[in-house]
Amino acid sequence: IGPFGAALAPNGNQAYIADLGPGTLTVLDTHTHHVTTTVSLGSFGTDPFAVTATAHAIYVAEQGANALAVVDSHTPTVRATIPVGNSPYGVAVSPSASGG
């Protein structure tokens, strides 16, 4: 159990790592190579699997929770957890829908 999926912020300043098992999203500063924060997405077994980032939000497919977490990329806090069906394994965002 450990890091599974990762995405780079559009500006390249942060990397977002989905931590399979603990139910967290780790935010890494790409310039200092240090963790800046860890966001709880749910309890152990939530199993964040895949992550995609836009300028305004980070989207995390939570395989164990059958949900999509929407994390504010500025604060970073969970804005919403959306039920999406059985065991999502990926996530994609349309540039025109992401707002930037």
Side-chain angles (χ1 to χ4, degrees):
I1 299 174
F4 196 83
L8 193 60
N11 64 11
N13 292 333
Q14 295 86 23
Y16 305 106
I17 300 98
D19 300 312
L20 187 64
T24 58
L25 179 73
T26 299
V27 181
L28 178 77
D29 182 302
T30 58
H31 300 290
T32 65
H33 303 122
H34 288 94
V35 171
T36 58
T37 192
T38 301
V39 180
S40 176
L41 300 173
S43 61
F44 187 89
T46 300
D47 291 342
F49 224 70
V51 59
T52 297
T54 69
H56 304 289
I58 306 141
Y59 300 90
V60 184
E62 298 180 294
Q63 188 265 338
N66 302 322
L68 176 73
V70 181
V71 178
D72 185 305
S73 60
H74 302 290
T75 53
T77 55
V78 177
R79 276 197 231 164
T81 301
I82 304 163
V84 294
N86 196 20
S87 300
Y89 284 94
V91 59
V93 178
S94 168
S96 62
S98 68

